[in-house]
């Protein structure tokens, strides 16, 4: 076998795909630590290398892949708009840098989505988060209990002994809370599909719940409530007879709409209950200023930059007006509206909305519980996006692209085209042996 064939065989192997997935997920979830302990340039180099390797893996598997189903159209449109925004950006180099970051994480997610199935992806994320959350707890114990001193370089304040808030390896309490909720979803899915033992499942869920609680993040309760409602609704739909399933979907949809309207009407009481008045006031002031800037360039925005850390206009001026140092809009939807205008926001909502509907319908009819992971994670990302911009950078963006890709791999017009070209009929096959949503 020639060296070229050996390399292609290695890139296309299942062992390499698993190693790549674990490495990429670890790098994405540890992006804050890598940037702090090394430098943002080191992080960019790692992501660039992983994206190049990912492209090589896709090339090595080109006979298995369909160009039509490589990525959803809405995702490609959103990424393309970010690149096109270089044209009207006042700082084209920084816009191009921000776009390459967006593109790099997207390539990694697309690669994982094509070389790993849903169950393998869930298991890889579960293994990664189990280790990272364990290390986070260990460092918080070391800082807050054993040494009683903060680790400033990691943003760890050592508050574990006083009940939090704690940050772990993720920089802020809100990010830790967000990661902990995602981990809980993943751990439960692993447990119910018998991918892990009962002991590991109990310890994993306990670890995620403990860190979510001690993060003292106001968004954790909101995320937990949203995931709980979504899980209950999905369980009801899955246990409804097929003839009545559509009716059940519409009834649940109406109930969710009513609940959202009630929550909006009682928003002030809910904010007081969550003791998040100061946080919400900060966000409200920021969003009002952002809307003033959006009014000046409502359609296209100011160009894609991603995070606000490089100090471009209008972010520096917004922070100047507020006498603050925000690194994002604290809301993914406002961030997109500011950077890519209404065009970008419509594409983003279309991308996420279609993915939620597709994955929800798929989870409703397939027997394996593993298919519940995608819609539950998408709902978590959608809710979290109302309070933070995590979904647009790093691990949040990687998970969003991965879920959008996973949802687009079924119930898509591309599936019918591929079936017509190959003369096959698309079928629904479970990815594991489980046939009971309850485990």
């Amino acid at each position: 076998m020639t060296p070229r064939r050996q390399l292609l065989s290695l890139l296309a192997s299942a062992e390499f795909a698993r190693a790549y997935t674990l490495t990429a997920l670890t790098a994405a979830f540890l992006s804050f630590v890598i940037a702090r302990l090394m430098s943002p340039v080191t992080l960019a180099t790692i992501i660039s290398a992983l994206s190049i390797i990912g492209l090589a893996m896709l090339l090595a598997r080109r006979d298995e892949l369909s160009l039509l189903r490589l990525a959803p159209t809405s995702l490609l449109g959103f990424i393309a708009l970010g690149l096109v925004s270089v044209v009207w950006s006042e700082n084209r180099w920084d816009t191009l840098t921000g776009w390459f970051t967006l593109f790099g994480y997207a390539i990694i997610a697309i690669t994982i989505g094509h070389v790993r199935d849903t169950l393998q992806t869930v298991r890889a994320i579960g293994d990664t988060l189990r280790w990272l959350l364990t290390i986070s707890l260990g460092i918080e114990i070391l800082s807050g209990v054993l040494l009683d001193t903060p680790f400033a370089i990691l943003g760890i304040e050592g508050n574990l002994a006083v009940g939090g808030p704690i940050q772990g390896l993720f920089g802020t309490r809100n990010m830790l809370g967000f990661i902990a909720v995602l981990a809980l979803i993943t751990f439960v899915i692993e447990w119910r599909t018998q991918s892990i033992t009962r002991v590991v499942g109990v310890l994993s869920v306990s670890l995620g719940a403990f860190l979510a609680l001690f993060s003292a993040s106001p968004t954790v309760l909101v995320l937990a409530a949203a995931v709980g409602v979504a899980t209950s609704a999905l369980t009801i739909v899955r246990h409804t007879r097929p003839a009545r399933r559509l009716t059940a979907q519409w009834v649940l949809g109406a109930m969710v709409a009513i609940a959202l309207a009630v929550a909006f009407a009682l928003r002030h009481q809910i904010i007081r209950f969550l003791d998040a008045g100061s946080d919400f006031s900060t966000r409200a002031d920021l969003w009002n200023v952002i809307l003033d800037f959006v009014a000046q360039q409502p359609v296209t925005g100011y160009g894609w930059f991603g995070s606000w850390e490089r100090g471009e206009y209008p972010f520096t001026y917004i922070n100047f007006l507020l006498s603050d140092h925000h690194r994002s809009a604290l809301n993914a939807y406002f961030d997109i509206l500011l950077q890519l205008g209404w065009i970008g926001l419509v594409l983003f909502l279309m991308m996420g909305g279609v993915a939620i509907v597709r994955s929800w319908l798929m989870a409703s009819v397939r027997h394996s519980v593993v298919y519940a992971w995608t819609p539950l994670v998408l709902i978590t990302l959608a809710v979290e996006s109302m309070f933070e911009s995590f979904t647009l950078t790093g691990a949040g963006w990687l998970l969003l692209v991965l879920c959008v890709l996973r949802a687009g791999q079924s119930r898509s017009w591309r599936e019918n085209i591929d079936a017509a070209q190959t003369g096959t009929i698309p079928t629904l096959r479970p990815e594991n042996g489980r046939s009971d949503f309850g485990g």
Side-chain angles (χ1 to χ4, degrees), residues 30-98:
L30 283 181
S31 57
F32 171 80
V33 172
I34 294 171
R36 276 296 184 95
L37 294 184
M38 300 176 193
S39 70
V41 174
T42 302
L43 175 61
T45 302
I46 292 172
I47 298 303
S48 299
L50 287 169
S51 61
I52 292 171
I53 295 172
L55 288 172
M57 292 172 66
L58 294 176
L59 182 62
R61 291 171 175 254
R62 60 187 179 277
D63 293 337
E64 308 170 14
L65 304 177
S66 165
L67 187 60
L68 271 176
R69 300 179 66 186
L70 189 64
T73 306
S74 54
L75 171 62
L76 296 177
F78 183 80
I79 294 174
L81 180 63
L83 178 59
V84 173
S85 70
V86 172
V87 175
W88 57 79
S89 170
E90 293 189 7
N91 192 327
R92 295 183 177 181
W93 174 251
D94 283 342
T95 298
L96 197 59
T97 301

Side-chain angles (χ1 to χ4, degrees), residues 132-166:
L132 296 184
L133 291 179
T134 300
I135 295 171
S136 293
L137 179 58
I139 293 178
E140 288 288 352
I141 292 174
L142 184 64
S143 172
V145 179
L146 299 181
L147 298 180
D148 193 23
T149 183
F151 296 162
I153 192 171
L154 294 176
I156 294 175
E157 299 176 1
N159 293 328
L160 182 62
V162 296
I166 61 175

Side-chain angles (χ1 to χ4, degrees), residues 10-25 54 57-58 61 64-65 107-125 127-128 370-371 373-374 398 402-403 405-407 409 431:
L10 174 64
L11 291 172
S13 67
E15 294 80 6
F16 192 86
R18 183 175 186 275
Y20 175 86
T21 301
L22 291 172
T23 303
L25 290 172
M57 292 172 66
L58 294 176
R61 291 171 175 254
E64 308 170 14
L65 304 177
I107 289 295
I108 293 171
I110 290 171
T111 302
I112 294 173
H114 283 291
V115 302
R116 301 268 88 184
D117 64 26
T118 305
L119 182 59
Q120 292 168 337
T121 302
V122 170
R123 293 181 64 180
I125 293 174
D127 289 341
T128 303
V370 74
Y371 292 101
W373 182 82
T374 302
L398 186 148
L402 183 58
C403 289
L405 177 67
R406 189 70 67 201
Q409 287 174 336
E431 295 185 42

Side-chain angles (χ1 to χ4, degrees), residues 36 43 81 108 152 231 244 260 277 316 346 434:
R36 276 296 184 95
L43 175 61
L81 180 63
I108 293 171
T231 303
R244 298 182 178 180
L260 290 174
T316 50
V346 169
R434 304 300 298 164

Side-chain angles (χ1 to χ4, degrees), residues 196-392:
I196 54 177
T197 64
R198 184 182 298 273
V199 173
V200 174
V202 170
L203 291 176
S204 299
V205 171
S206 300
L207 173 66
F210 180 85
L211 290 177
L213 177 64
F214 275 78
S215 70
S217 170
T219 60
V220 165
L221 286 176
V222 179
L223 291 177
V227 172
V229 170
T231 303
S232 300
L234 189 56
T235 304
I236 292 171
V237 171
R238 289 175 64 93
H239 285 85
T240 302
R241 286 185 297 177
R244 298 182 178 180
R245 192 166 286 156
L246 182 60
T247 302
Q249 299 273 28
W250 281 107
V251 170
L252 288 170
M255 292 175 63
V256 169
I258 294 171
L260 290 174
V262 172
F264 179 77
L266 301 177
R267 60 191 182 280
H268 298 298
Q269 293 89 330
I270 294 173
I271 291 169
R272 283 197 298 270
F273 173 76
L274 296 175
D275 193 24
S278 59
D279 285 346
F280 186 80
S281 177
T282 299
R283 283 167 167 76
D285 292 340
L286 173 60
W287 298 339
N288 286 332
V289 174
I290 287 175
L291 288 176
D292 291 337
F293 281 85
V294 169
Q296 299 175 28
Q297 292 187 213
V299 178
T300 59
Y302 291 84
W304 179 260
F305 296 92
S307 66
W308 296 12
E309 295 178 357
R310 287 182 294 274
E312 310 88 348
Y313 179 87
F315 314 125
T316 50
Y317 195 39
I318 290 173
N319 280 328
F320 172 75
L321 294 175
L322 294 170
S323 300
D324 213 323
H325 51 279
H326 296 294
R327 291 181 294 180
S328 73
L330 300 179
N331 182 301
Y333 308 110
F334 276 98
D335 237 329
I336 293 172
L337 190 60
L338 179 65
Q339 299 187 44
L340 294 180
W342 285 104
I343 297 176
L345 183 59
V346 169
L347 280 174
F348 185 79
L349 293 175
M350 185 184 304
M351 176 178 68
V354 170
I356 289 176
V357 171
R358 281 177 174 170
S359 60
W360 183 275
L361 293 176
M362 186 57 58
S364 299
V365 298
R366 291 206 175 183
H367 294 298
S368 176
V369 67
V370 74
Y371 292 101
W373 182 82
T374 302
L376 292 180
V377 170
L378 281 170
I379 289 170
T380 303
L381 292 170
V383 174
E384 180 68 22
S385 293
M386 293 189 293
F387 307 103
E388 296 285 353
S389 296
F390 298 150
T391 311
L392 304 179

